[in-house]
Amino acid sequence: MAVPFPELDGDALESNRRPESPEDHGFNEEGIPILPDIPTGAHHEASSGGLFFSPDDTESRQLPPSPPPLPENTGSSLDPPEYDLSSEEDVGPVVGIDLGTTFSCVAVWEGGRPCVIANNMGNRTTPSWASFHSDNVFVGEAARAKASRNPQCAVYDAKRVIGRKWSDTSVQESLRLWPFSLAEHRGNCAFQIGSQLYTPEEVSAYVLAKMKHAAEDYLGRKIKKAVVTVPAYFNDAQRQATLDAATIADLEVARIINEPTAAALAYGLEKTEGDDSLQTLLVYDLGGGTLDVTILVLDGGVFEVKSTSGDTNLGGQDFDNKLVEHFLPEVKAQCGVDITDNKAKAMKKLRDACQVLKHNLSHSETATIEVDALINGKDFDSSLSREKFVEITHSLLERCLKPVKQALQDARMSADEIDEAVLIGGSTRIVRVQQLLEEMFPGKKLSKKINPDEAVAMGAAIQGANLSRAYETKDPRLVGITLMDVTPLSLGIELASGKMSTIIPRNTTIPYSHTRVYKNNEDYQTKAIVEVFEGEEKYTKNNRLLGKFTLPGLPPKRRGQVQIPISFTVDANGVLEVVACVSGEEGTTKRLVIQKDKGLLTEDDIQRKAKILAKWERKCRAEKLN
Amino acid sequence: MARDYYEVLGVPRSADEKEIRSAFRKMARQYHPDLNPGDESAERKFKEINEANEVLSDPDKRVKYNRHGDNWMHADRIEAQGGGFRQGTRVEYGFGDVG
């Protein structure tokens, strides 16, 4: 043992050597890399950005008074839930839920295969929409139907704002085109309907609850657990917010898994049957709001993710936006009105028509757009060629291959080492996107074998079955299925120089544990502030603060004479735990679990909203709504 | 002192990249925490093979590891200085890895 680290337990000590190149750190020119001793609060922007670790920081954790609960007439004479709770041990099946930007899908492992569950309308995917009215909340198809009459009451795209700051450029850019109002909510985003605010977590919770209902109706029993998917490139705040949404919907999340990894699981399970050969897949997932690219190796039941990359703000909706923008001047010319000017109904009609046009362009070279009575009783007609579509969406198409190149580079692979490119997500139906991938992987087949809308939920169901022990004895098809994912973003701490010192680089297979030793920056400093960041930028001010804590008890010694080992452990759920202590000083160990504390909602908020949801669920069951 | 990475993965020092990766996956299938819920020794073992694989399956890191063992991470600096570390120098660079 080179350095004493008495406070750490044996586990951390065993396995904490971590490969990484010294160049990453910029230590050479810096001399001694160190921990800053900075007066609390007087630090850079990021630390005032509202992450909530310090125990005395409770004030900033409070959300403003949350929107009033659902109207009280949500029923006092409600029937009890239809389904019996089985015995304590029997937690039931773990369903897989793909919580999508535009559509969601739920699946369960049944009869030796993942099975997609249709909702009460008979549809295998459900629009990720919620519509808030004085007497009820509608979700899915019902919400979208309500939107035609009351567009300002219906919201979607919660996934595009969940876990994001109001100031986020992508949020600001989308504002103009959303028919609903988004408001700032203590630096975060919230949907505004009338005078009420709804957080994206809450909206997602309604969608999750609807998916849960579908599964409960199908299986005839209560569902408590789910594997929920997120884009691979989601950061920690977005993942945490998704977990909070699940809690509000009374779902215990067995595991958050990355969407492309889930899709690969669904694809690979079909593929590996009787085929043990090693295969390298690239999963290209272009959905409604996000692009994810993941490279993984399949080897006899082991799914090893090599690298993952993405663009959390590129998806079908962006293509719709471009089309809407393209047609707006024509609308003005034909109808004589600027419909961006508070004409939510007309905007929705135009957007829907643009979507249909986009879909049609996946089958034909030219498509028409026809909207009856778009505004003031005037119709709108136009058409678009595929060529023109490519021109309009040029800036988006240019971004489509960037993550592919990054993922290849990170996996240290060339395009010809990819055996197959698997396309999922509805937007991979765009012809030009397919062409770009064909050009990138010449001679390789683009696999469209699995249903692009359902693969993610199916993969989540496979992992759900894999993780559930109480429900079924292990299905023979699942034996040996092992999923090894990676950290999407680098994790590290801030040095006194303001530079990021990476402790776990991106694309490291998890679970993983690693320790580095730091030293005091100033003579006789008595405490050190440990600030934990995620991101790839050299300076932490450009990365995202995950949390911070102060390590007291440094013995008064000259600069560089105190050793501070800091260990990072990421578990299979991607949860990061940071442990720091002062070498040789008893009782100085500080631990920080980057989870739970740092969602944007407080525990109180979550509990209160969970109650509202539970009430709503009972009402839906009793009145057969939604 | 950590165990030798080759020993951890049970491969000879002459093993090629393919053998190393395949040995890792085989062991991962045995020790991955998902397959051994609640078993801390399996998780510890997984982290160990994971770390060995991270170094040995990367040609650059492997060369450095072969040459410098546990100090592989500081290989560039060692080579620039034309020699190895003196006892205890590692921390004077301000960081080191607990082995």
Side-chain angles (χ1 to χ4, degrees), chain A residues 97 99 139 202-216 245-246 248-251 613-614 616-617 620-621 626:
Chain A
I97 300 178
L99 179 60
V139 183
E202 221 173 339
V203 173
S204 295
Y206 278 105
V207 177
L208 285 171
K210 165 100 179 165
M211 304 319 288
K212 184 178 72 170
H213 283 186
E216 288 177 341
I248 295 171
D250 193 25
L251 272 173
L613 255 284
W616 171 78
E617 279 190 53
C620 289
R621 288 258 176 254
N626 275 297

Side-chain angles (χ1 to χ4, degrees), chain A residues 579-604:
Chain A
V579 180
C581 68
V582 182
S583 273
E585 300 291 314
E586 289 288 322
T588 55
T589 303
K590 282 255 180 174
R591 252 165 228 279
L592 172 65
V593 177
I594 309 276
Q595 187 76 316
K596 287 289 161 221
D597 277 353
K598 44 146 292 304
L600 303 173
L601 301 181
T602 64
E603 204 52 47
D604 278 358

Side-chain angles (χ1 to χ4, degrees), chain A residues 204-239:
Chain A
S204 295
Y206 278 105
V207 177
L208 285 171
K210 165 100 179 165
M211 304 319 288
K212 184 178 72 170
H213 283 186
E216 288 177 341
D217 287 346
Y218 176 79
L219 293 162
R221 57 175 302 161
K222 182 97 183 141
I223 298 294
K224 292 182 191 167
K225 283 186 155 193
V227 168
V228 178
T229 62
V230 295
Y233 222 54
F234 250 22
N235 69 25
D236 205 59
Q238 291 166 307
R239 284 165 199 265

Side-chain angles (χ1 to χ4, degrees), chain A residues 15-148:
Chain A
S15 53
N16 45 22
R17 179 169 300 93
R18 170 67 186 110
E20 123 191 323
S21 57
E23 310 82 76
D24 292 343
H25 296 276
F27 282 10
N28 292 344
E29 67 270 27
E30 290 286 323
I32 301 173
I34 19 290
L35 285 173
D37 183 21
I38 303 151
T40 320
H43 205 28
H44 52 71
E45 273 180 37
S47 56
S48 58
L51 279 149
F52 317 120
F53 276 96
S54 149
D56 17 301
D57 194 22
T58 43
E59 201 278 325
S60 63
R61 295 181 55 169
Q62 300 296 326
L63 280 175
S66 84
L70 280 183
E72 280 313 310
N73 63 354
T74 37
S76 44
S77 59
L78 295 173
D79 295 336
E82 266 173 47
Y83 304 119
D84 294 335
L85 289 175
S86 309
S87 71
E88 293 255 325
E89 293 79 44
D90 184 9
V91 295
V94 181
V95 297
I97 300 178
D98 170 9
L99 179 60
T101 308
T102 44
F103 284 95
S104 294
C105 183
V106 60
V108 68
W109 183 267
E110 202 182 48
R113 49 184 296 273
C115 176
V116 173
I117 298 170
N119 64 19
N120 57 342
M121 308 285 285
N123 297 325
R124 292 161 71 86
T125 56
T126 300
S128 303
W129 285 57
S131 178
F132 297 87
H133 302 265
S134 59
D135 56 343
N136 203 355
V137 179
F138 297 93
V139 183
E141 288 89 348
R144 213 165 52 167
K146 292 276 172 195
S148 312

Side-chain angles (χ1 to χ4, degrees), chain A residues 285-304:
Chain A
D285 178 359
L286 185 59
T290 52
L291 167 61
D292 266 344
V293 177
T294 292
I295 294 174
L296 74 172
V297 172
L298 263 67
D299 184 4
V302 177
F303 292 70
E304 184 194 0

Side-chain angles (χ1 to χ4, degrees), chain A residues 305-500:
Chain A
V305 176
K306 304 300 292 181
S307 66
T308 190
S309 186
D311 188 330
T312 43
N313 220 39
L314 179 63
Q317 304 253 1
D318 298 290
F319 288 86
D320 299 345
N321 288 349
K322 291 285 178 197
L323 288 173
V324 169
E325 278 174 346
H326 169 78
F327 285 117
L328 279 174
E330 263 184 74
V331 168
K332 200 173 174 185
Q334 279 189 32
C335 307
V337 185
D338 179 3
I339 60 166
T340 54
D341 190 20
N342 237 350
K343 303 286 190 295
K345 264 188 208 176
M347 278 297 272
K348 179 175 186 297
K349 277 188 183 174
L350 180 64
R351 172 178 298 277
D352 289 351
C354 284
Q355 249 171 39
V356 173
L357 172 91
K358 178 185 73 177
H359 295 164
N360 288 338
L361 283 176
S362 293
H363 311 290
S364 42
E365 286 291 339
T366 307
T368 55
I369 178 168
E370 289 161 356
V371 192
D372 289 343
L374 176 61
I375 187 86
N376 300 340
K378 287 186 178 143
D379 299 342
F380 174 67
D381 299 291
S382 188
S383 69
L384 198 76
S385 68
R386 221 181 249 175
E387 202 185 330
K388 186 73 183 165
F389 175 75
V390 170
E391 193 189 310
I392 294 169
T393 58
H394 180 72
S395 61
L396 302 175
L397 290 164
E398 269 186 347
R399 286 157 62 193
C400 284
L401 286 183
K402 237 175 114 184
V404 176
K405 289 171 186 157
Q406 184 67 53
L408 283 169
Q409 193 187 324
D410 284 355
R412 296 191 300 275
M413 282 182 177
S414 60
D416 60 343
E417 285 175 86
I418 301 295
D419 294 312
E420 215 163 307
V422 180
L423 305 194
I424 58 162
S427 304
T428 54
R429 294 190 177 99
I430 296 172
V431 176
R432 184 63 195 146
V433 170
Q434 293 185 10
Q435 285 170 350
L436 287 169
L437 288 166
E438 273 161 8
E439 287 161 18
M440 181 91 201
F441 301 101
K444 298 281 158 66
K445 72 177 164 184
L446 301 183
S447 174
K448 300 165 218 162
K449 251 182 271 174
I450 45 172
N451 185 322
D453 303 322
E454 299 176 357
V456 171
M458 285 165 68
I462 294 169
Q463 184 68 343
N466 217 2
L467 293 174
S468 77
R469 281 160 294 143
Y471 179 55
E472 273 177 334
T473 48
K474 198 79 155 185
D475 192 292
R477 281 189 81 194
L478 293 174
V479 172
I481 296 284
T482 312
L483 193 57
M484 291 193 286
D485 223 320
V486 297
T487 51
L489 297 163
S490 297
L491 301 163
I493 62 160
E494 185 186 76
L495 301 176
S497 58
K499 283 188 178 171
M500 169 98 166

Side-chain angles (χ1 to χ4, degrees), chain A residues 1 11 16-20 22-23 27-28 33 255 299-300 304 306 509 511-512 514-517 519, chain B residues 1-2 5 21 25 29 32 34-35 44 46 50-51 72-73 76-77 91 93-99:
Chain A
M1 204 64 60
D11 292 23
N16 45 22
R17 179 169 300 93
R18 170 67 186 110
E20 123 191 323
E23 310 82 76
F27 282 10
N28 292 344
R255 177 72 52 88
D299 184 4
E304 184 194 0
K306 304 300 292 181
T509 302
Y512 203 88
H514 184 58
T515 301
R516 308 197 77 187
V517 179
K519 303 173 95 180
Chain B
M1 201 67 184
Y5 288 155
R21 289 177 186 283
R25 285 186 207 113
R29 211 171 147 160
H32 195 279
D34 283 355
L35 307 176
R44 198 153 52 228
F46 180 82
N50 190 8
E51 173 190 331
W72 69 272
M73 207 179 286
D76 292 349
R77 201 170 294 129
V91 241
Y93 284 96
F95 67 99
D97 292 274
V98 184

